[in-house]
Amino acid sequence: MSELLVTEDLRKTFGGIHAVDGLDMAVEDGELVGLIGPNGSGKTTTLNLVTGFLSPTAGRVVFDGEDVTGRKPYEVSTRGIGRTFQISKPFGRMTVFENLLVPNVSYGVREREERVWQVLEELDLAQVAENRADALSGGQKKLLELARVLMLDPKLVLLDEPAAGVNPALMDEIIADIKRINDRGTAFLVVEHDMSVIKELCERVVVMNAGRCVSTGTFAEIRADERVREAYLGGA
Ligand SMILES: Nc1ncnc2c1ncn2[C@@H]1O[C@H](COP(=O)(O)OP(=O)(O)OP(=O)(O)O)[C@@H](O)[C@H]1O
Ligand SMILES: [Mg+2]
């Protein structure tokens, strides 16, 4: 395995707040990694730094052997990083099908439509293809976001709280979808507060506290780590 994504001493300050404060972490090719930590520990900021939605104050982001620090979001996505948002943002007045035609993929019109149907079937959304996106349930909106990301054939997908607002039955389906897509070689970095989802899904977990990585390992390993307990209890 080789390193697909690396952050080196990554930092982001907002005024006096050190949101990301010297983060060193990596995702290997094809890995399925969880990113956890208390509220405000810098998880979403990290995703924004990796995807170019924010520019770091210092440090580097290396993706697939290339320094992508400070690149624009579209430059990062064309290199193979897809992401979803903590709050889903589909184009509400467009249909599910139309939402999937939006990403700027390199195929022609016909291939693009074929690819849309493939992705819709893969995620069991074909039956709602003609529905307006704002009529979907919370969980289906999350699936639609994942579908949009898959249109770009990413090497790495960053998910910000895929389980938030999703009913447990649909979450089981989403977990199965992520595992299946991962089996075909797509790496994932999943930010999530629901530990049952992290336990079920992730081969390895990275734990952040106050903008840094404080522990990494399997779910069992990090759960047994004193530094992780301290982080969640707000201790030093
Ligand atoms: N645009 C911003 N301007 C100012 N402060 C910000 C901004 N974005 C994030 N922060 C601050 O940076 C810190 C890290 O926030 P971030 O959203 O990355 O945390 P998080 O780990 O994703 O939390 P949660 O689990 O609640 O989603 C917090 O103190 C937050 O208030
Ligand atoms: Mg967040």
Side-chain angles (χ1 to χ4, degrees):
M1 279 218 210
S2 64
E3 282 170 337
L4 182 62
L5 174 74
V6 182
T7 70
E8 290 173 8
D9 197 22
L10 195 62
R11 291 167 191 271
K12 181 68 184 178
T13 55
F14 298 107
I17 297 169
H18 297 270
V20 174
D21 196 20
L23 178 68
D24 291 296
M25 60 160 264
V27 177
E28 309 272 324
D29 261 332
E31 223 186 355
L32 210 174
V33 181
L35 179 60
I36 68 170
N39 292 118
S41 55
K43 304 178 299 294
T44 297
T45 303
T46 298
L47 299 196
N48 286 332
L49 292 170
V50 167
T51 51
F53 285 81
L54 288 172
S55 277
T57 309
R60 291 210 312 156
V61 179
V62 178
F63 178 67
D64 214 7
E66 186 188 354
D67 189 333
V68 296
T69 316
R71 293 271 187 192
K72 303 248 171 352
Y74 77 88
E75 296 177 300
V76 175
S77 74
T78 53
R79 280 167 175 73
I81 306 184
R83 62 98 50 102
T84 67
F85 292 88
Q86 193 163 345
I87 311 288
S88 306
K89 312 178 194 174
F91 298 104
R93 297 168 70 174
M94 287 165 53
T95 67
V96 168
F97 188 86
E98 287 164 347
N99 264 272
L100 295 197
L101 288 175
V102 174
N104 189 18
V105 296
S106 51
Y107 332 103
V109 177
R110 228 193 104 99
E111 292 92 329
R112 188 187 283 219
E113 295 198 354
E114 275 168 22
R115 177 76 183 133
V116 170
W117 284 114
Q118 236 177 29
V119 169
L120 287 174
E121 266 150 37
E122 161 102 70
L123 297 180
D124 206 18
L125 286 171
Q127 77 284 1
V128 293
E130 300 305 328
N131 294 18
R132 269 174 62 144
D134 55 12
L136 298 178
S137 71
Q140 285 174 322
K141 281 186 184 142
K142 296 269 181 187
L143 272 173
L144 174 57
E145 277 218 292
L146 179 57
R148 271 165 62 181
V149 166
L150 294 182
M151 284 298 295
L152 297 162
D153 297 318
K155 295 185 187 129
L156 171 67
V157 178
L158 313 177
L159 301 177
D160 201 351
E161 302 200 15
V166 179
N167 76 60
L170 186 54
M171 197 55 220
D172 287 344
E173 271 179 48
I174 296 178
I175 287 173
D177 291 334
I178 294 170
K179 283 184 170 172
R180 201 175 53 246
I181 295 160
N182 175 251
D183 280 341
R184 295 203 299 259
T186 309
F188 282 84
L189 180 65
V190 183
V191 171
E192 186 49 64
H193 283 291
D194 184 334
M195 287 306 127
S196 64
V197 171
I198 291 287
K199 183 179 175 202
E200 174 63 28
L201 198 55
C202 300
E203 307 164 3
R204 185 165 68 85
V205 184
V206 170
V207 187
M208 281 186 80
N209 189 32
R212 295 164 189 243
C213 171
V214 292
S215 184
T216 185
T218 64
F219 185 79
E221 285 165 354
I222 60 110
R223 196 171 46 178
D225 187 333
E226 192 57 33
R227 285 167 299 182
V228 176
R229 284 198 205 132
E230 282 172 4
Y232 275 100
L233 294 172

